Amino acid sequence: MNNKVTNILLSGVGGQGAILASNILAHVFVQAGYDVKKSEVHGMAQRGGDVTTHFRYGAQVYSPLIKFREVDFLLAFELLEALRYINYCKDKAAIVINDQKILPPAVTLGFAEYPTDIPATFKKHFKDRVHVVKGQEIALGLGNAQAANVVLVGAFSKLIPEIGDQMWLNALTDLLPKKIRDLNVKAFQKGREAL
Amino acid sequence: MKKVLQGNEAIARGAWEAGVTVAAAYPGTPSSEILAEIAKYPEIDAEWSPNEKVAVEVAAGAAFAGTRAMACMKHVGMNVASDAFMTLSYAGVKGGLVVVVADDPFAHSSQNEQDSRNWARFAKVPMLEPGDAQECKDFTKVAFDISEQFDTPVLVKGTTRISHADSLVEEGERKASSMPLGLDRSEIPKHVMVPVNVRVARRVVEKRMRDLEAYADTFPANRMEINDPAVGVIAAGAAYMYAKEVFPQYSYLKLGMVWPLPKKLIADFFKKVKKVIVVEELDPFFETEIKALGYKIFHGKDLIPNIYELSPEIVERSLLGAKYKAPKIRADVDDIPKRPANMCPGCSHRALFYTLKKLGLYVFGDIGCYSLAAAPPLQAMHMNLCMGAGIGLAYGAGKALGAEAVGKVCAVIGDSTFLHAGIPPLMDTVYNKGYATTIILDNRITGMTGLQEHPGTGFTIKGEPANMIDYGQLVKALGVKHVSTVDPYNLKETFETVKTETERDEASVIITENGPCMLHRREKRRFPHPYYSIEVEKCTGCKTCLQLGCPAISWVGGEGVTKKGKKRKGIVSINRLQCPGCGVCAQVCKFESIVPGKA
């Protein structure tokens, strides 16, 4: 284990399951022996607002917040919510984006345009380290759009080769109720294959 | 084995390990999870109190009777609790008493960003401030020992970034308090705060603070970390974590007890380092105190902002000044559409506020999800202040404006907020002959903070059935003669009722019925249709339905004509996945183009 702290920023819209995703990360990196910290703003988020979780792991983590420009991995559950944090990423950051648009009110009311071609904007800066995943489509293929978050986690897991499959699967087993476990294991594997 | 716990969960765990048997709170972000977690421990009698003052009184009664007790609240809750708290400082405790207060710098979910450390100085009680989940647990636990040792209530301060951050915690065992239970009749001088006893208590309090100052010098969580002696940083809580993150090379005096300050330790620190920088969130609390001790501070609030919450880059940028190199911006994202919080699709508040807007009323609002009615496109709440204030404000405005304003103003308040602080101002409105109409938005739960029970829901925090307030009877007992109910989803009926009641020159109350919170599973309202959809041929693109601000309705631009040949600039579309079928949009559509969808 090296001393460096790794920073993962999860961004999305309330209700997309970013909290479960960050709980899976916490479970995995604790198993791997790291110190972890994760921080999110609750409260009004479940009423359609944007949600971000700062997740950090390493030998010893101080700040619960990631410093501007220090994001190693951006795990975005929605396109616009990816773009909002483009400047937070390190030059060498890797990006996993769910190919889904959730229109903010200014757009649905017709006052603003939804930014176009967000993946291309990312590719300009982060080249082949940008991974666009059809999370919702894959999850719907498995019968439940709600599992898109775990598809994304599966895709992201490919970027951390030091963590074996089993640790991720342990996390799913420990954190999910039996009823939805198999679905999410499939979603995780499909996500892994997607990258 | 260490476990990942949220700061609030860790505080709950600390209370449990400390042997707490009674805990009370009123929910408020970022503190709400503490009591929700405590309620899971069978050994603890937990409750949602109607407000924070009651919570502190319940906990104080339990502590006087010899047990360890806790009360929890958000920062502004302390304003409500302060009447009890300020004098409790004089009366002392018997069993340990800890009050947790969670601040919300940047007001992520609050009406202000007051710095709760000021309460410790004001009330003359000690305050501990944890910096991560492990400290949340440890500090809560030790706070009970301090409380019993020094016969004082103890404050534990959280902030959003500590209360809502998860990190590793080593759990311990529960140890029951050794304090005997029982009430002591001989303690009248100590516990009856009449002037003659107060004057004695004042001396006790001053002596206690001097003893606590000495204790602070030995308190292990006030610790020095001497690295590079050129610069020493004094910090606590999240601010310490941010400073440590960006300036690991500096020396630190990390304060676990933020009041009273450890004077000897501070003196020692000033001897060990060349220059001292104070890094603290919000007020210059340490800075003012340390300067008053006669020390020279190299930097503090001259560089570090005293508003909003701090972050690693704010600390870095502020202290480096011109030397800070801002990273190059890749894309200008300041102008991309924001995603403000909104009422849920189908929320009964949306329908009610649409009606109030139609009536052209000036609306004195309150604290809750319905505060979101102030945002566009509804913009149908014109003032709010604090829990319960709307009713008094509406009545007071009526006093100033007289008959002029009859039919033009009303107060709106949620069910939980009404029970929290809305009863006295309503009593006043009736007693002193005000005429404002109060609308109680009864969504059957405390919504905004995440669905907590209250005395109007019929259930306790532990899910046990309980007495359920009858709002109609309650307000009649206060003397309100005109009490009516409305179904907020019925726009026409609600419009008529609100019009009639607001035009009266006597106080009245309207209670919304059958409008439970959309997230509240137990009391879900069943709508006749599963969803609504647009008949494209009829939609004229008039945008009236968009004025509801429903997340399920969106504008689709594109010129065209309706079936009747009317030109249009676009149409609206309803997202079937989001639409719960409340049917409010169908009522506002003048062209009958919004129709029930089929299952």
Side-chain angles (χ1 to χ4, degrees):
Chain A
M1 192 193 296
N2 58 30
N3 271 334
K4 181 181 151 290
V5 172
T6 303
N7 299 317
I8 307 170
L9 185 71
L10 299 94
S11 67
V13 178
Q16 284 194 299
I19 291 180
L20 172 65
S22 67
N23 286 341
I24 296 172
L25 296 184
H27 192 285
V28 163
F29 289 105
V30 168
Q31 275 185 84
Y34 288 104
D35 185 20
V36 303
K37 250 183 203 170
K38 77 184 179 83
S39 176
E40 60 228 5
V41 176
H42 296 225
M44 297 166 89
Q46 65 184 321
R47 273 145 276 269
D50 51 303
V51 186
T52 59
T53 302
H54 292 230
F55 185 88
R56 316 187 68 211
Y57 70 92
Q60 188 178 10
V61 183
Y62 287 105
S63 169
L65 295 177
I66 302 170
K67 214 171 99 180
F68 187 68
R69 208 44 148 241
E70 290 289 319
V71 171
D72 295 286
F73 299 98
L74 175 62
L75 184 48
F77 296 87
E78 202 269 349
L79 286 157
L80 180 62
E81 295 313 315
L83 184 60
R84 208 182 296 283
Y85 299 99
I86 190 169
N87 296 315
Y88 277 71
C89 299
K90 280 182 183 166
D91 290 338
K92 293 273 173 233
I95 322 288
V96 180
I97 307 178
N98 187 18
D99 188 19
Q100 189 189 349
K101 277 186 194 175
I102 299 175
L103 304 182
V107 175
T108 59
L109 294 171
F111 300 137
E113 298 278 322
Y114 194 97
T116 50
D117 220 358
I118 292 169
T121 310
F122 272 93
K123 279 176 185 155
K124 205 170 92 194
H125 297 279
F126 303 96
K127 316 280 188 252
D128 58 349
R129 294 187 309 281
V130 180
H131 310 279
V132 180
V133 179
K134 294 188 183 307
Q136 217 187 12
E137 205 178 298
I138 294 170
L140 271 173
L142 295 170
N144 191 340
Q146 288 290 80
N149 56 346
V150 177
V151 173
L152 266 277
V153 172
F156 167 76
S157 73
K158 280 285 276 287
L159 300 175
I160 315 281
E162 66 163 301
I163 305 277
D165 275 37
Q166 197 51 48
M167 281 200 198
W168 294 98
L169 296 172
N170 288 348
L172 296 176
T173 310
D174 288 355
L175 295 173
L176 293 167
K178 232 180 181 159
K179 226 170 48 183
I180 55 167
R181 204 175 289 156
D182 287 348
L183 166 77
N184 280 284
V185 169
K186 277 185 211 147
F188 176 81
Q189 275 152 354
K190 286 274 178 203
R192 246 178 119 81
E193 287 161 22
L195 216 72
Chain B
M1 169 69 186
K2 287 190 175 182
K3 262 173 86 174
V4 176
L5 295 185
Q6 191 201 48
N8 283 339
E9 279 179 279
I11 289 173
R13 177 77 192 184
W16 179 80
E17 287 181 15
V20 163
T21 70
V22 175
Y26 184 81
T29 311
S31 73
S32 314
E33 295 83 357
I34 304 171
L35 250 277
E37 287 300 320
I38 277 198
K40 293 177 186 167
Y41 293 109
E43 299 91 341
I44 303 179
D45 181 335
E47 70 160 54
W48 288 126
S49 309
N51 67 38
E52 296 85 353
K53 179 174 178 285
V54 176
V56 164
E57 290 156 355
V58 168
F64 289 149
T67 195
R68 289 189 160 185
M70 181 155 98
C72 309
M73 61 205 65
K74 69 183 294 171
H75 59 323
V76 287
M78 194 61 191
N79 302 340
V80 178
S82 63
D83 199 9
F85 190 76
M86 294 298 286
T87 305
L88 197 55
S89 165
Y90 293 12
V93 300
K94 190 169 135 199
L97 175 64
V98 171
V99 174
V100 181
V101 53
D103 284 11
D104 185 17
F106 199 64
H108 291 284
S109 207
S110 304
Q111 65 268 37
N112 77 23
E113 54 167 24
Q114 66 193 45
D115 185 335
S116 290
R117 290 177 298 174
N118 294 298
W119 285 114
R121 182 168 52 194
F122 196 23
K124 302 175 189 293
V125 297
M127 176 184 259
L128 308 183
E129 182 173 356
D132 61 18
Q134 180 71 53
E135 288 188 346
C136 282
K137 198 207 80 169
D138 295 344
F139 286 15
T140 303
K141 218 170 152 180
V142 74
F144 285 96
D145 296 335
I146 296 172
S147 173
E148 285 174 7
Q149 187 183 337
F150 294 92
D151 192 11
T152 175
V154 177
L155 287 166
V156 171
K157 180 193 164 212
T159 59
T160 302
R161 300 303 179 181
I162 301 303
S163 306
H164 279 172
D166 300 38
S167 57
L168 288 168
V169 176
E170 183 82 55
E171 295 189 333
E173 296 301 312
R174 176 174 168 92
K175 204 173 151 258
S177 162
S178 53
M179 198 67 75
L181 280 180
L183 294 166
D184 186 350
R185 287 185 179 77
S186 71
E187 288 186 336
I188 289 176
K190 179 170 185 289
H191 284 164
V192 179
M193 284 300 125
V194 291
V196 61
N197 295 341
V198 167
R199 290 170 202 135
V200 176
R202 279 296 288 117
R203 290 175 185 279
V204 173
V205 168
E206 290 309 306
K207 160 110 182 21
R208 179 180 80 205
M209 286 315 285
R210 284 197 301 280
D211 293 345
L212 277 159
E213 272 171 23
Y215 175 83
D217 281 320
T218 64
F219 184 57
N222 286 334
R223 64 164 197 267
M224 250 192 263
E225 298 162 9
I226 302 298
N227 303 309
D228 178 0
V231 180
V233 175
I234 299 180
Y240 164 81
M241 295 294 171
Y242 302 145
K244 193 82 183 164
E245 181 78 29
V246 289
F247 300 114
Q249 72 276 24
Y250 290 168
S251 295
Y252 283 84
L253 173 57
K254 199 242 182 216
L255 297 177
M257 182 181 279
V258 297
W259 190 255
L261 294 180
K263 289 182 182 165
K264 278 189 190 151
L265 210 54
I266 290 170
D268 208 17
F269 192 62
F270 270 88
K271 271 182 220 144
K272 287 201 162 112
V273 299
K274 266 208 181 105
K275 294 171 178 166
V276 169
I277 296 175
V278 178
V279 179
E280 56 190 327
E281 213 158 39
L282 299 179
D283 294 349
F285 184 82
F286 299 150
E287 185 176 337
T288 306
E289 290 297 324
I290 293 168
K291 278 179 177 166
L293 292 172
Y295 298 104
K296 193 171 170 323
I297 302 261
F298 181 54
H299 283 306
K301 289 293 166 188
D302 56 329
L303 299 181
I304 298 193
N306 68 347
I307 61 169
Y308 307 155
E309 67 176 355
L310 298 180
S311 68
E313 63 269 9
I314 290 173
V315 171
E316 185 177 40
R317 204 172 57 209
S318 316
L319 292 181
L320 290 184
K323 276 185 267 169
Y324 177 78
K325 282 202 192 76
K328 244 175 90 182
I329 297 301
R330 297 183 181 110
D332 183 6
V333 294
D334 288 349
D335 295 331
I336 67 173
K338 302 256 185 307
R339 218 180 273 280
N342 191 357
M343 294 172 200
C344 301
C347 177
S348 63
H349 299 337
R350 175 176 292 108
L352 190 271
F353 280 96
Y354 183 82
T355 301
L356 300 184
K357 188 175 185 175
K358 281 261 127 185
L359 282 160
L361 293 168
Y362 186 102
V363 178
F364 291 91
D366 229 290
I367 308 292
C369 285
Y370 46 97
S371 306
L372 297 167
L378 280 171
Q379 291 174 297
M381 179 184 293
H382 308 96
M383 185 172 207
N384 83 352
L385 204 56
C386 66
M387 298 282 288
I391 300 172
L393 291 168
Y395 162 54
K399 269 181 181 279
L401 300 171
E404 267 307 81
V406 174
K408 292 178 184 153
V409 299
C410 74
V412 171
I413 188 165
D415 46 347
S416 189
T417 311
F418 177 66
L419 297 176
H420 177 286
I423 299 167
L426 182 58
M427 199 187 300
D428 191 30
T429 309
V430 178
Y431 170 51
N432 285 309
K433 304 180 177 65
Y435 57 75
T437 298
T438 298
I439 305 174
I440 301 172
L441 302 179
D442 182 15
N443 70 351
R444 312 300 305 140
I445 203 78
T446 317
M448 183 60 115
T449 47
L451 311 184
Q452 290 84 7
E453 306 291 350
H454 62 68
T457 69
F459 290 90
T460 69
I461 192 171
K462 300 222 182 197
E464 292 150 1
N467 178 61
M468 183 161 68
I469 299 265
D470 179 327
Y471 298 101
Q473 274 189 23
L474 172 65
V475 301
K476 275 182 194 153
L478 294 177
V480 180
K481 279 190 263 167
H482 313 282
V483 182
S484 44
T485 58
V486 292
D487 175 351
Y489 293 100
N490 184 335
L491 298 185
K492 201 164 169 273
E493 176 207 283
T494 307
F495 184 95
E496 292 307 327
T497 306
V498 177
K499 190 168 188 298
T500 307
E501 294 306 324
T502 50
E503 283 175 356
R504 268 184 215 287
D505 65 351
E506 251 186 329
S508 59
V509 167
I510 301 169
I511 303 159
T512 67
E513 273 193 336
N514 203 5
C517 171
M518 294 303 290
L519 302 170
H520 190 13
R521 292 196 180 167
R522 190 177 63 222
E523 305 226 10
K524 217 169 170 67
R525 171 164 173 150
R526 308 225 171 266
F527 297 113
H529 306 289
Y531 66 97
Y532 276 76
S533 62
I534 302 291
E535 269 192 23
V536 173
E537 294 172 328
K538 286 189 187 169
C539 179
T540 63
C542 73
K543 296 190 175 178
T544 303
C545 56
L546 289 174
Q547 290 310 308
L548 288 165
C550 176
I553 309 176
S554 57
W555 174 249
V556 185
E559 293 197 2
V561 283
T562 65
K563 200 176 169 183
K564 288 186 177 166
K566 198 167 183 245
K567 276 192 188 169
R568 66 187 181 198
K569 291 196 166 150
I571 56 165
V572 295
S573 147
I574 295 177
N575 182 342
R576 185 179 166 176
L577 294 175
Q578 282 184 292
C579 175
C582 78
V584 169
C585 55
Q587 293 174 57
V588 308
C589 180
K590 286 179 252 149
F591 304 96
E592 291 170 343
S593 68
I594 302 180
V595 294
K598 288 172 194 72

